[in-house]
Amino acid sequence: LAKTTQPISMDSYEGQEVNITCSHNNIATNDYITWYQQFPSQGPRFIIQGYKTKVTNEVASLFIPADRKSSTLSLPRVSLSDTAVYYCLVARETGANNLFFGTGTRLTVIP
Amino acid sequence: NAGVTQTPKFQVLKTGQSMTLQCAQDMNHEYMSWYRQDPGMGLRLIHYSVGAGITDQGEVPNGYNVSRSTTEDFPLRLLSAAPSQTSVYFCASSYGGSSTDTQYFGPGTRLTVL
C-alpha cells in the first residue's frame, strides 16, 4: 500500500486558512485518500476522504489533482481548537488492516 | 450510542504481570482492531478481527493475544508485560472490513510497565 509523506509540523494563526499537503507517489488506481485528526489524549477521528478532484464537508476540503500523487487538506479559518495531529492515509477497499498511520502533521494554532 | 469504549484509562503494571485491556462498541460493527501509539510515532496495528470468532495479526502482534467471542467486545491481553509495551493503546471499529470505511477510535488506555 502506498506510503505517504507530509510535513512534520505547521504553525498557523487563528482565523487563517491552513493547507496541509500530502505526497503519495505510489498511489494505486483503487486507492482513496483519507485524513484523520487526533487531539491530545484522544483517538484519531475521521475528517474527510476523496478519490479525485475536490471533496468538501462541514469540517474541511480535500483537493486531489488529476495525477493523484498528492493531495491537500484545507482547513478554513482555523481556531485554537484545531490544534491537533493530522494524518494522511492511503486507503484501499481490500482490508482495514492495511491502514498505515505515519507520524502525521502536528498543527499548532497560535492566538 | 456510546461508540467505542475502553477500560481502564490508565494502568501501571510491573514487568511480568498480565492484564486485559477491554474494548466494546455498540454500533454493531463487524471490524475491530487494536493499535498502539508510542511517543512521536504513528499508530501501529497489533491485532484485528473481521467478525465474531475471527482474529488475525497486525504489524506488531508479539506479546499480545486477542479473542472475539461477541460482535461487541474485543479484549486485548498482555500475557507477560514488558517495559517495551509501555504505550497508549487504541481500539477501533468500523462497519465493514475495508480501509475506506470510517474507523471509530476509542479514547485510549495509557499503559506503563515498570
Side-chain angles (χ1 to χ4, degrees):
Chain A
L1 206 63
K3 296 289 178 68
T4 61
T5 302
Q6 53 184 123
I8 294 175
S9 64
M10 295 179 69
D11 293 336
S12 176
Y13 287 101
E14 269 191 299
Q16 289 189 328
E17 178 185 73
V18 171
N19 295 310
I20 306 175
T21 298
C22 178
S23 170
H24 26 79
N25 290 320
N26 295 323
I27 192 167
T29 303
N30 54 347
D31 289 341
Y32 288 73
I33 297 104
T34 307
W35 287 79
Y36 281 78
Q37 172 191 55
Q38 185 177 24
F39 295 115
S41 301
Q42 293 187 28
R45 183 182 71 149
F46 172 87
I47 304 177
I48 197 166
Q49 180 174 274
Y51 185 79
K52 61 180 179 181
T53 62
K54 177 183 175 183
V55 179
T56 298
N57 62 22
E58 65 278 5
V59 176
S61 294
L62 179 60
F63 298 91
I64 305 168
D67 67 4
R68 303 199 329 120
K69 293 184 183 300
S70 67
S71 59
T72 300
L73 176 73
S74 180
L75 305 172
R77 297 180 299 281
V78 295
S79 64
L80 296 177
S81 61
D82 292 315
T83 293
V85 177
Y86 292 82
Y87 296 96
C88 169
L89 297 85
V90 171
R92 187 174 295 171
E93 290 182 338
T94 52
N97 55 304
N98 287 323
L99 274 179
F100 177 74
F101 284 84
T103 53
T105 297
R106 183 174 298 276
L107 172 67
T108 302
V109 179
I110 305 165
Chain B
N1 287 349
V4 179
T5 58
Q6 291 183 237
T7 56
K9 287 190 185 332
F10 302 94
Q11 182 70 49
V12 179
L13 292 177
K14 294 181 180 178
T15 296
Q17 287 185 316
S18 62
M19 80 158 295
T20 299
L21 278 63
Q22 301 292 343
C23 174
Q25 52 90 11
D26 61 358
M27 297 175 282
N28 202 30
H29 284 171
E30 288 297 321
Y31 184 89
M32 296 185 73
S33 56
W34 276 101
Y35 290 86
R36 61 177 287 173
Q37 185 172 36
D38 300 307
M41 298 183 68
L43 284 77
R44 291 184 291 169
L45 183 65
I46 304 172
H47 284 285
Y48 65 97
S49 169
V50 298
I54 306 169
T55 64
D56 207 342
Q57 298 180 348
E59 180 186 356
V60 288
N62 292 341
Y64 308 95
N65 271 0
V66 292
S67 60
R68 184 94 179 271
S69 56
T70 66
T71 300
E72 295 77 20
D73 301 297
F74 190 42
L76 178 72
R77 297 185 187 84
L78 279 69
L79 309 171
S80 177
S84 61
Q85 293 178 304
T86 293
S87 188
V88 180
Y89 291 85
F90 291 102
C91 178
S93 74
S94 64
Y95 179 74
S98 167
S99 59
T100 56
D101 292 324
T102 298
Q103 300 290 314
Y104 294 86
F105 284 83
T109 293
R110 186 175 295 274
L111 175 67
T112 301
V113 183
L114 304 176

